[in-house]
Amino acid sequence: MKKRWFIKILIILIIFCGCTNKQPLSQTQLLLDTQVTITLYDCASSNILDECFAICKDYELLFSRTNPKSELYQLNHQDKTKPIKISKELAKVINIGLEYSKLSNGTFDITVGQLIDLWDFKADTPKLPETSAIAGALTSIGYRGITLNDSTISFSNPNTIIDLGAVAKGYIADKIKEYLIEQGVDSAIINLGGNVLCVGKKNSDDFTIGITDPKGSSDILKLKINDQSVVTSGIYERTLEKQGQSYHHILDSKTGYPVETDVASLTIVSNRSVDGEIWTTRLFGETPTSILEQVEKEEEIEALGITKDDKLFYTSGLEPELLF
């Protein structure tokens, strides 16, 4: 009798996660305005993989600033002169953004949506915004003008546009990881357009994550990690060239123009992907010394950066390996 119950349980486990097949199962889709790739190493259930992408699609309809069907888009484009009721999940992510905006004293600010819209780096023929337009957009920025009580949000400035781009991808990656762990997946990698989050190890080995050379298309460094997130931001990712000058996409919410910095790329290694997303945005524009000093005080994050003149700097908890 015990033997039959054991066989039944074993069959259920095999059906649940398809673990008889040790070949990686991977899928890529264009979602969240980027290329999303999810790979399972210890589970061959296509249903689980499909559900991961369904999670992405659901959250895109909550957090996208540019999708007219999303809740955030509709919030940004309605009458904001009176309090507005929003979903609990959108309120939760906005609150995360507000907390980090406060901690950074506005260096990180989720109310930069109008400014981001001006700098359309994805246009076929990108244009340099007019100085007057930038000045106008700056008047709409200010996280302190938002009040959030439970699921009710109020704006002191009705022209404010919320952008959750530096929060949402990390939050979504963390939610996908939670789902995979609930389904018994112990080895996987989630890649949301370069925002990488690992579940456990790659079978029995650490994951190897490449860090791109800011001046080229190949990887210049690699990191060995397990069960952590790696998020990289760089001035090379999206640029606009006008009159012999290059403008990158990482904007300064105080000036309205791209951040002035000697750092070409910044990578944050953290336990939660949302922390990596926020800290890369928060620290970009700081000097290498300031970045290292701030991150060394934090227990659960590490930082690695490359300067414009190819100098490498990183915190004490990392051991990056140069590839050439």
Side-chain angles (χ1 to χ4, degrees):
M1 193 70 169
K2 289 182 179 179
K3 185 175 180 181
R4 273 188 286 179
W5 273 111
F6 173 78
I7 292 171
K8 286 181 180 179
I9 292 170
L10 183 62
I11 290 171
I12 290 169
L13 287 174
I14 290 171
I15 292 171
F16 180 65
C17 200
C19 294
T20 55
N21 185 350
K22 293 295 183 181
Q23 293 298 314
L25 182 65
S26 186
Q27 189 178 142
T28 299
Q29 292 187 26
L30 187 62
L31 292 168
L32 309 173
D33 201 26
T34 191
Q35 185 169 282
V36 175
T37 301
I38 301 171
T39 304
L40 312 182
Y41 289 94
D42 67 340
C43 181
S45 170
S46 58
N47 290 335
I48 289 177
L49 200 55
D50 289 342
E51 182 59 26
C52 289
F53 285 97
I55 291 170
C56 280
K57 292 172 183 176
D58 287 344
Y59 280 124
E60 186 168 26
L61 290 176
L62 280 179
F63 306 139
S64 173
R65 191 190 85 257
T66 58
N67 186 339
K69 295 181 180 179
S70 83
E71 185 181 358
L72 179 61
Y73 181 96
Q74 292 166 14
L75 170 64
N76 281 333
H77 292 83
Q78 64 178 287
D79 179 10
K80 296 194 284 289
T81 59
K82 54 187 177 182
I84 301 167
K85 190 78 172 176
I86 59 177
S87 69
K88 291 183 178 180
E89 193 110 42
L90 179 58
K92 181 179 180 180
V93 175
I94 288 175
N95 190 55
I96 292 171
L98 290 174
E99 287 177 358
Y100 274 94
S101 297
K102 183 177 180 180
L103 285 172
S104 71
N105 197 29
T107 302
F108 173 93
D109 197 316
I110 62 169
T111 63
V112 293
Q114 196 176 129
L115 183 64
I116 291 174
D117 287 338
L118 284 179
W119 290 87
D120 188 0
F121 289 91
K122 295 182 180 180
D124 293 334
T125 54
K127 296 180 180 179
L128 194 65
E130 296 290 338
T131 303
S132 58
I134 291 174
L138 288 176
T139 64
S140 72
I141 297 173
Y143 70 92
R144 293 182 182 87
I146 293 178
T147 303
L148 186 61
N149 292 317
D150 295 324
S151 296
T152 300
I153 189 168
S154 301
F155 297 82
S156 64
N157 185 341
N159 296 318
T160 293
I161 299 294
I162 293 175
D163 176 77
L164 296 174
V167 185
K169 275 202 304 181
Y171 181 85
I172 294 167
D174 290 332
K175 286 297 183 181
I176 293 172
K177 180 174 180 176
E178 286 179 18
Y179 167 74
L180 289 174
I181 291 171
E182 288 172 359
Q183 300 306 307
V185 176
D186 295 320
S187 180
I189 189 164
I190 303 156
N191 188 340
L192 305 187
N195 175 331
V196 177
L197 179 60
C198 301
V199 180
K201 293 189 173 186
K202 187 178 180 180
N203 297 321
S204 59
D205 299 321
D206 288 341
F207 284 95
T208 300
I209 309 299
I211 306 298
T212 301
D213 180 358
K215 294 182 179 179
S217 59
S218 60
D219 290 342
I220 191 173
L221 295 163
K222 67 179 180 180
L223 293 172
K224 294 278 191 178
I225 67 162
N226 67 80
D227 208 38
Q228 287 181 299
S229 163
V230 178
V231 177
T232 300
S233 291
I235 61 175
Y236 58 91
E237 293 172 321
R238 280 175 289 182
T239 59
L240 185 159
E241 306 287 338
K242 288 293 177 183
Q243 299 176 341
Q245 186 171 349
S246 179
Y247 300 85
H248 61 79
H249 77 289
I250 302 173
L251 302 176
D252 187 331
S253 61
K254 302 291 194 299
T255 68
Y257 287 88
V259 168
E260 293 185 8
T261 178
D262 292 326
V263 176
S265 79
L266 178 62
T267 297
I268 295 293
V269 178
S270 56
N271 292 335
R272 298 193 313 164
S273 186
V274 68
D275 293 331
E277 285 278 356
I278 290 171
W279 275 93
T280 54
T281 304
R282 176 178 172 178
L283 292 173
F284 227 102
E286 302 275 353
T287 64
T289 300
S290 177
I291 290 170
L292 294 179
E293 286 178 349
Q294 291 184 64
V295 176
E296 290 286 11
K297 295 176 184 177
E298 302 295 322
E299 292 184 1
E300 296 186 347
I301 67 170
E302 303 288 344
L304 178 153
I306 304 171
T307 63
K308 290 179 178 178
D309 56 356
D310 299 324
K311 292 179 181 176
L312 179 66
F313 61 94
Y314 53 92
T315 49
S316 57
L318 292 181
E319 295 181 2
E321 181 181 335
L322 279 167
L323 295 177
F324 57 86

